[in-house]
Amino acid sequence: MNTPSHLHNSFLTRAASSLQENWPSIALFALGLLIWQYAVAFLQIPQYLLPTPSEIFLRIWKERWLLWSNLSITMIAAISGFFLGLLIAVGLGTLFVFSRTAARALMPWTIIIRTIPILAIAPLMTIWLGFGIAPKIAVAALACFFPILINFYRGLGSISREIGELLSLVNASRIQGLLHVRIFAAMPFTFAALKISSGLAVVGAIVAEFTGANLGIGTLIVTAGYQQDAVMLFAGIIVSCIASVLFYYVVVAVEKLCLYWPEARMG
């Protein structure tokens, strides 16, 4: 049985290993902040043009509750849109596998929707769905569903000819082939898309807040822009970036749990 001390030591070991692997990027990030800090002071750049990192992080600390309350609203919309986009993509991808006619009929429309800029879709969603959380969820779902659809559909069709012949040999139905073979073949492709879509969902929710919302980190960013408050503008951008990175690593953690067979981990 794992004791608390054993779990603590295991956590420290993983943290040390992660730090050792990522120290170049951490060092480069710290160096960038240091150069930024002293370059602004040396060049005497006004705060309203480019604040120093210390001013930004101090503002984040002072306004932490305001930032957190608005960020939580944005992330609820982003995560909800992420799962809605996943659900739509999995449904359409499964339909495309079972019906070539549906794939030929609907795939061009998904491509057309994907080519429309999010900034053009967001105002429409606000007009159709109001100023609540619904348009944010819809835009986040639209932003992330296409990469998931393409990768999931590709993954479903990625089984080898030998596996397909084996399914025919054992008289497996299409449903059985889907549940026992194709879903597992599609999982590495799908998680690759999910890692991309995690950030797209956050961007979609924030863009939706740009066009019509009274709460959310996007609203804070727009308000700070109107007020020419560069410190708050940077603070909003930084906390939204941190949230996106954390969301990404949550998806990575789930991927490690789900892709447990050796071939998937190697891919």
Side-chain angles (χ1 to χ4, degrees):
M1 187 171 107
N2 290 330
T3 62
S5 61
H6 176 75
L7 294 174
H8 179 68
N9 292 334
S10 177
F11 173 77
L12 290 178
T13 301
R14 289 196 300 268
S17 176
S18 177
L19 184 62
Q20 185 177 6
E21 291 176 0
N22 297 304
W23 75 263
S25 60
I26 296 172
L28 183 61
F29 178 73
L31 179 62
L33 289 179
L34 195 63
I35 293 173
W36 180 1
Q37 177 76 29
Y38 286 100
V40 170
F42 178 77
L43 297 173
Q44 298 182 343
I45 301 175
Q47 185 192 70
Y48 66 86
L49 290 180
L50 182 63
T52 62
S54 60
E55 291 170 331
I56 296 169
F57 289 115
L58 181 61
R59 185 67 171 273
I60 290 174
W61 175 252
K62 287 182 178 179
E63 303 286 359
R64 60 189 181 277
W65 298 116
L66 176 65
L67 289 166
W68 166 251
S69 61
N70 282 275
L71 179 64
S72 61
I73 293 170
T74 302
M75 291 307 297
I76 289 171
I79 294 170
S80 300
F82 176 81
F83 282 109
L84 178 60
L86 172 61
L87 182 64
I88 295 171
V90 169
L92 282 176
T94 304
L95 175 64
F96 292 170
V97 167
F98 282 97
S99 174
R100 297 284 183 180
T101 302
R104 287 193 296 267
L106 296 177
M107 184 61 80
W109 288 101
T110 65
I111 296 173
I112 290 171
I113 293 173
R114 180 66 183 87
T115 59
I116 301 174
I118 296 179
L119 277 172
I121 294 177
L124 283 174
M125 291 299 166
T126 301
I127 292 172
W128 293 341
L129 302 176
F131 291 91
I133 197 172
K136 303 178 191 180
I137 295 174
V139 174
L142 286 172
C144 67
F145 102 96
F146 186 77
I148 303 174
L149 170 63
I150 294 300
N151 282 271
F152 179 71
Y153 181 48
R154 180 187 174 193
L156 290 178
S158 66
I159 62 172
S160 64
R161 185 178 64 182
E162 291 78 8
I163 295 295
E165 291 174 352
L166 177 61
L167 290 174
S168 299
L169 185 64
V170 298
N171 293 322
S173 67
R174 300 183 73 178
I175 294 293
Q176 290 173 326
L178 175 69
L179 296 178
H180 297 290
V181 177
R182 292 186 183 275
I183 288 292
F184 291 95
M187 286 176 67
F189 294 87
T190 306
F191 272 106
L194 291 178
K195 287 185 284 188
I196 297 171
S197 297
S198 60
L200 293 177
V202 178
V203 171
I206 291 175
V207 169
E209 290 170 347
F210 287 170
T211 60
N214 53 11
L215 291 172
I217 200 70
T219 304
L220 283 185
I221 291 172
V222 170
T223 303
Y226 286 144
Q227 296 175 348
Q228 296 187 348
D229 186 352
V231 182
M232 178 57 86
L233 192 61
F234 273 98
I237 292 171
I238 288 172
V239 296
S240 62
C241 288
I242 292 172
S244 297
V245 170
L246 291 176
F247 190 14
Y248 170 87
Y249 279 109
V250 168
V251 176
V252 170
V254 174
E255 178 187 30
K256 290 181 178 179
L257 290 175
C258 293
L259 303 186
Y260 52 85
W261 60 98
E263 293 80 1
R265 288 197 296 270
M266 289 173 61

